[in-house]
Amino acid sequence: MSKPIPPKPDNSNTAPIGIDFGTTNSVMSRYTHSLLKTGPENLNFPITGSNLYPSIAIVDEKKCEIRTGKAASTRKFIEPENIVYSVKRRIAEDSNFSFNGTTISNMQIAEAIISNFVKEIKSTDHNFSPNVVVVTAPYYFGENENALIKQTVENVIVREINSAPSFFIIPEPVAASISCLYDIKDAPLNSKVFFIYDIGGGTL
């Protein structure tokens, strides 16, 4: 009589994660492997109940603090002059934002968005500690922009989980290609030639 096969442990807390720091919204996904769940899954943000995290920021002039995500999104029609959009696309620029005498750089705003993005995930996944972090970047980004995006995410992750996973950055169309190939890996195919078009998300 054969012995039952024990379920493989679900290492979702340490599983590799992918971060798309989007111009309009950001998304995080991870690869989990267990008896009932195998493959990539998008993580939800408890405040919004969605897997989309608004990539915008607002500076609270009274508290001199940066608010991001839903906290910023709910104020964009009330305080449009204090909302910062599309900071990812300007991350390599020297321009700063000035609010009530406080000067804040693009890097500081980008780091605040990623930091609050990760903290919200950690609020429901207290043992969140990925061993690999893959970050996507626009295809037209050069080495400088890629390095800044990677450094921003690395600063946040290392600070929040108190360890140093491996970090990689890949262009968004390449990530789309890998995802597509993963989805069809078991499909019977007559051709090995594929056309994959990254049409974009929020900015479209």
Side-chain angles (χ1 to χ4, degrees), residues 11-165:
N11 298 319
S12 58
N13 292 326
T14 59
I17 65 168
I19 294 177
D20 177 13
F21 178 27
T23 303
T24 306
N25 292 292
S26 294
V27 182
M28 184 186 297
S29 64
R30 66 182 167 196
Y31 187 92
T32 58
H33 185 82
S34 68
L35 187 64
L36 300 177
K37 182 169 54 181
T38 299
E41 63 169 351
N42 287 336
L43 304 185
N44 285 330
F45 299 95
I47 292 178
T48 61
S50 168
N51 58 20
L52 299 177
Y53 186 88
S55 302
I56 62 175
I58 187 171
V59 175
D60 187 318
E61 294 187 353
K62 294 181 179 179
K63 297 182 180 180
C64 289
E65 65 180 14
I66 305 171
R67 296 184 180 182
T68 65
K70 186 178 181 181
S73 182
T74 56
R75 307 290 296 178
K76 63 184 178 182
F77 298 115
I78 302 172
E79 303 176 62
E81 71 279 4
N82 290 339
I83 295 289
V84 180
Y85 298 93
S86 306
V87 69
K88 178 187 74 173
R89 296 183 182 272
R90 301 194 298 267
I91 197 165
E93 296 178 6
D94 293 329
S95 59
N96 295 314
F97 301 91
S98 181
F99 298 96
N100 199 23
T102 301
T103 300
I104 302 171
S105 69
N106 289 308
M107 280 286 289
Q108 287 175 298
I109 293 175
E111 190 162 324
I113 293 171
I114 295 296
S115 180
N116 291 332
F117 172 75
V118 171
K119 285 177 180 176
E120 197 167 322
I121 292 293
K122 284 187 63 184
S123 69
T124 55
D125 188 353
H126 304 298
N127 297 317
F128 178 75
S129 184
N131 52 20
V132 175
V133 178
V134 179
V135 186
T136 61
Y139 194 78
Y140 65 86
F141 266 20
E143 290 184 8
N144 187 31
E145 289 93 340
N146 284 341
L148 290 172
I149 291 289
K150 180 173 177 286
Q151 188 61 56
T152 300
V153 174
E154 189 170 349
N155 288 344
V156 170
I157 296 291
V158 170
R159 182 174 66 240
E160 292 296 331
I161 71 173
N162 198 29
S163 67

